Amino acid sequence: MANTRNLLIVGASGAAAMRVTEQALADPGLAVTGLSRRVPEGAGDWIAADLTDAAGLKRALATRPEISHVVYASRAPFGEGGVEDVPGNLAMLRNLLDAAEASLPRFAHIHMVHGGKWYGVHIGPLRTPAREDAPRHMPPNFYYDQQDLVAARQQGRDWSWSASRPGFVVDVAPGRARNMVSTLGAYAAICRELRVPFDFPGKPGTWEALHDVTDASLLAEGVLWMLGEPRAANRAFNITNGDCFRWCDLWPYLAAQFGVDCGVVRPMSMPRWMADKAPVWEAIRARHGLALPIGQVANWDFADFFLGMDYDIILSTTAARSAGFTGFVDSWAMFAAQIEGYRAARVLPR
C-alpha cells in the first residue's frame, strides 16, 4: 500500500474482529484503532465509546479525524436460532455512520461483517450453493436493514461500502464459549471421562448434510482484501474455507483427535443432557490443570443450533474468487490445528 490507511475496528474485542485486528496490525500500510464500550486489558490504540450513544460516539470519533476506513463487527445480544434485534442492530450502525460522516473528513469505506443468516440458514433448507444475489427470505433480518441503510446512504457520496458473509466462524478463542471446536472438545472430554462413546447428538439429517465453515483468520484476510480492492466496492461477498464436509465423515476424525471412541447418531438436547455435567468437567479441569470453567468453554445451546441443521449449508465463493480473492483453508486441517490450539491454551485436555 502506497499510503497508510487508518483503520477503525468497531467491536474489536468480539469474535469476528480479533483476527482482523491481528492481521491489520501486521500490515505496515495500516494504522489500527479499536472501538468498544470497554477498553480490554492490554489493548493498544483504542477508543471507548457506546454505539447506542449517538452524541458520545460523534465526540469520540472527532478526536480521531485521521481514520479513513471502518470495519463494523458489532452485534446486539441474541439467542440461538431466533429473530435477532433489528431496531437495535440498525440503530447502532446508523449512529456509527452518522458519526463517521460528521466527524471523519477522510472517511472512505465501511465494511460490515454479516454472515450466512443472510440466506436464512437459521430458518431451514436453502438453495445451495448460496450466491450473493439469492432472493431474500421473509424478514425480519437485520442484515437486510443494515445493508439497505448503508447502500442508500452511499448514493452520491465519495465513500464506499462492502460486506462479508462467512459461514460459522471457527477460531481459537479461549473464554468465548460460543465456538464449535471448544464446545465439541468439552463434550468429547466429558464422554471420555464418563467412559461413554462420542455419540453424535444432532439430527440424523445433519449427519449426512453438506456443511461449510469459515476459519476466523481467513475471514480477516477477506475483510482486509475488500478494504483495498476496487472490485469489492459496494458489494457483498461470501467468505468460507472453500471446501465442505459431512459430519458422518468428520465425526470419526474428530473422535480420533479428541482421543475418544466414536459413537453413533443419538439425537439429544445438549442443554438438557449436559446440564448436570459441570462437576464432571471440574474433575477433568483439576486433573489436567485446565484454565476455565465449563461455562466459558462450551455453549450447549449453540451445539443444538449447529448440529440441528439437517440440510445442506454451502455458500458459493465464486464471486470473491472472480474479483481476485484467492484465500482458502483445509477445514479438516483447521479443526485439528484448533484443537491443538485449545490444548496449548489449557482450555481442552490432551
Side-chain angles (χ1 to χ4, degrees):
M1 302 178 196
N3 300 308
T4 298
R5 287 177 294 171
N6 291 269
L7 175 61
L8 177 69
I9 301 179
V10 181
S13 59
M18 287 184 64
R19 298 299 176 192
V20 178
T21 303
E22 181 182 86
Q23 290 193 24
L25 287 170
D27 188 332
L30 291 172
V32 182
T33 302
L35 184 149
S36 60
R37 281 182 299 172
R38 291 176 294 275
V39 179
E41 185 177 351
D45 189 4
W46 211 274
I47 297 172
D50 188 338
L51 292 171
T52 65
D53 179 0
L57 192 56
K58 287 181 181 179
R59 290 193 299 270
L61 292 195
T63 66
R64 306 301 299 272
E66 72 278 8
I67 290 170
S68 56
H69 291 68
V70 177
V71 171
Y72 183 80
S74 286
R75 193 171 177 180
F78 64 99
E80 298 300 343
V83 175
E84 296 195 39
D85 180 0
V86 173
N89 277 297
L90 189 61
M92 291 192 300
L93 179 59
R94 181 184 288 113
N95 289 343
L96 176 69
L97 199 56
D98 290 345
E101 289 198 303
S103 305
L104 302 179
R106 295 183 58 205
F107 178 47
H109 189 91
I110 183 168
H111 177 87
M112 298 169 289
V113 179
H114 283 169
K117 285 187 177 181
W118 179 279
Y119 306 108
V121 300
H122 56 307
I123 298 174
L126 59 149
R127 182 178 178 179
T128 57
R131 296 167 54 94
E132 289 85 350
D133 59 357
R136 298 180 177 188
H137 67 72
M138 177 70 74
N141 187 322
F142 80 87
Y143 291 157
Y144 301 163
D145 299 84
Q146 287 188 335
Q147 183 169 307
D148 289 347
L149 167 68
V150 173
R153 183 79 70 88
Q154 188 275 331
Q155 295 296 312
R157 307 294 212 280
D158 291 333
W159 54 267
S160 59
W161 63 270
S162 61
S164 52
R165 297 178 189 167
F168 283 108
V169 178
V170 191
D171 194 15
V172 178
R176 187 172 293 117
R178 193 182 185 273
N179 185 281
M180 198 175 282
V181 174
S182 64
T183 296
L184 292 178
Y187 170 56
I190 290 169
C191 288
R192 188 170 65 179
E193 182 75 6
L194 296 177
R195 295 189 174 92
V196 299
F198 184 50
D199 286 336
F200 181 78
K203 295 180 180 179
T206 311
W207 183 246
E208 299 285 349
L210 279 170
H211 286 183
D212 59 18
V213 293
T214 303
D215 181 272
S217 294
L218 180 70
L219 174 59
E221 183 183 340
V223 169
L224 294 178
W225 165 74
M226 287 181 227
L227 294 182
E229 173 53 63
R231 288 173 291 182
N234 304 324
R235 295 180 65 185
F237 292 94
N238 297 331
I239 301 291
T240 73
N241 287 359
D243 60 7
C244 53
F245 60 86
R246 300 182 197 272
W247 286 109
C248 60
D249 297 321
L250 184 64
W251 200 257
Y253 177 76
L254 293 177
Q257 295 293 317
F258 290 130
V260 65
D261 293 335
C262 187
V264 299
V265 178
R266 194 185 299 272
M268 57 183 169
S269 164
M270 294 293 273
R272 177 184 174 190
W273 284 94
M274 306 306 288
D276 64 346
K277 300 303 187 293
V280 180
W281 178 258
E282 284 304 308
I284 297 168
R285 183 182 174 194
R287 189 165 61 256
H288 291 273
L290 303 183
L292 300 174
I294 192 66
Q296 295 181 48
V297 179
N299 184 318
W300 306 124
D301 289 315
F302 181 52
D304 270 9
F305 181 51
F306 71 80
L307 295 176
M309 295 178 161
D310 54 351
Y311 41 86
D312 293 349
I313 300 177
I314 307 170
L315 309 187
S316 171
T317 56
T318 298
R321 290 198 302 271
S322 297
F325 183 67
T326 59
F328 69 93
V329 169
D330 181 325
S331 293
W332 288 49
M334 177 205 72
F335 278 110
Q338 292 195 10
I339 289 168
E340 284 304 309
Y342 274 110
R343 286 170 171 162
R346 294 190 304 112
V347 174
L348 295 178
R350 294 195 175 275

